[in-house]
Amino acid sequence: TSAAGSHGPFPFEVGYRLGGRYRVRSFTDTISGWGVRARDEQSDTDVVLQVIDPKIVQSADDRSQFISMCRQARRVDHINLAQVLDEGEDSKTVFYVMPLIEGLSLRRIIDLRIEKNEVFTFKETLPLFNQLADGLSKLGRVGFHGVLAPESVVVLPDLLKITSLPNFHGLPRRPHVVKHEACDAIYYIAPEARSESGKPDGRADVYSLAIILTEMMTGCVYGKDSDA
C-alpha cells in the first residue's frame, strides 16, 4: 500500500518494501522528509534511507534532478561522509540509501550539554570542526552543501560523519528552505541561500560551520537566541 502509513504523513507503512528492495522497519523525522531504517533484502543488512518529502519534489524534473545529484554523490568517498549506497524512486517518492551508523547526532550532543549548562571547550571543538570542514571540502566535488545543520552530523568515538547530501543542488530551493524554517534549522543557512534571488556559493558552507561552531562553544544559535 502507498496510503498514509504509521508515521504521520509518511507515504509507506512499516513492512512496505521500498524500491522493491528495502523493507521498512521504523521511521524518524528529518529536515527534508523522513529517515527510514530498513532491511536491504539483497545484502541482508540494515540500512538507512533518507526519503524526501514529496511536497519538495513535486515534478518529474525535480525528481530527476535529485536522483542525478545522488548519483554524483555516490562517487564521493571520504571518512567523514556517510557513503551513499543507492538511490531510487518509488511511487514518485525519491530517496537515497546510506549505511546504518550507530551514534548520537551532533544536535543531540549539543542539547545534552545545554541541559547540563555545559558547552564544548575549544580543545573538544577543534577536531570535530576540522572533520566537518574536511568532509564538506570533499563533498564539494558535487557542490557546496548549503544546508548543513547539527541534525545532519553523527558523532562516533574519535570520528564524525555528515549524513546528508548537498541537497541545495538537488532540491527546489523555496520548498526546501520552507522545510528548514518549520524545524528551526533555517538559522544554519546563509542569508543568500535563503533568498530565491540569492546566488550562494561555497562561502555558504563557511557560514553554516561558523553557526555550528558558535553554538557548540556558547550554546547559542546566531540569529535565533537573543544573546547570540
Side-chain angles (χ1 to χ4, degrees), residues 5-8 10-15 24-29 34-37:
S6 56
H7 185 73
F10 191 83
F12 308 107
E13 296 181 358
V14 170
V24 175
R25 290 191 164 184
S26 61
F27 311 94
T28 58
D29 291 314
W34 305 277
V36 177
R37 181 166 179 165

Side-chain angles (χ1 to χ4, degrees), residues 55-73:
K55 293 179 181 178
I56 297 180
V57 281
Q58 297 185 16
S59 72
D61 286 344
D62 289 343
R63 294 190 293 273
S64 177
Q65 179 176 329
F66 179 77
I67 292 295
S68 176
M69 182 273 293
C70 291
R71 287 173 178 163
Q72 293 180 58

Side-chain angles (χ1 to χ4, degrees), residues 119-224:
V119 294
F120 286 79
T121 66
F122 179 76
K123 185 176 181 180
E124 290 174 317
T125 303
L126 188 59
L128 297 175
F129 182 81
N130 287 341
Q131 290 181 66
L132 280 175
D134 286 347
L136 287 174
S137 178
K138 188 70 172 185
L139 198 59
R141 293 186 176 185
V142 179
F144 65 92
H145 193 290
V147 292
L148 184 70
E151 288 84 348
S152 302
V153 179
V154 172
V155 180
L156 306 168
D158 302 318
L159 180 69
L160 66 72
K161 287 186 179 289
I162 298 170
T163 59
S164 61
L165 298 185
N167 290 341
F168 192 88
H169 297 275
L171 298 173
R173 186 186 305 191
R174 184 56 192 159
H176 195 209
V177 169
V178 168
K179 261 290 198 183
H180 281 70
E181 289 175 342
C183 57
D184 267 0
I186 191 68
Y187 303 101
Y188 303 95
I189 302 178
E192 66 271 23
R194 303 178 198 175
S195 168
E196 290 187 62
S197 59
K199 297 181 179 179
D201 53 30
R203 289 172 291 185
D205 285 343
V206 177
Y207 183 94
S208 298
L209 284 172
I211 301 301
I212 293 172
L213 176 66
T214 300
E215 184 180 10
M216 291 173 68
M217 297 189 67
T218 68
C220 297
V221 179
Y222 177 76
K224 177 183 178 183

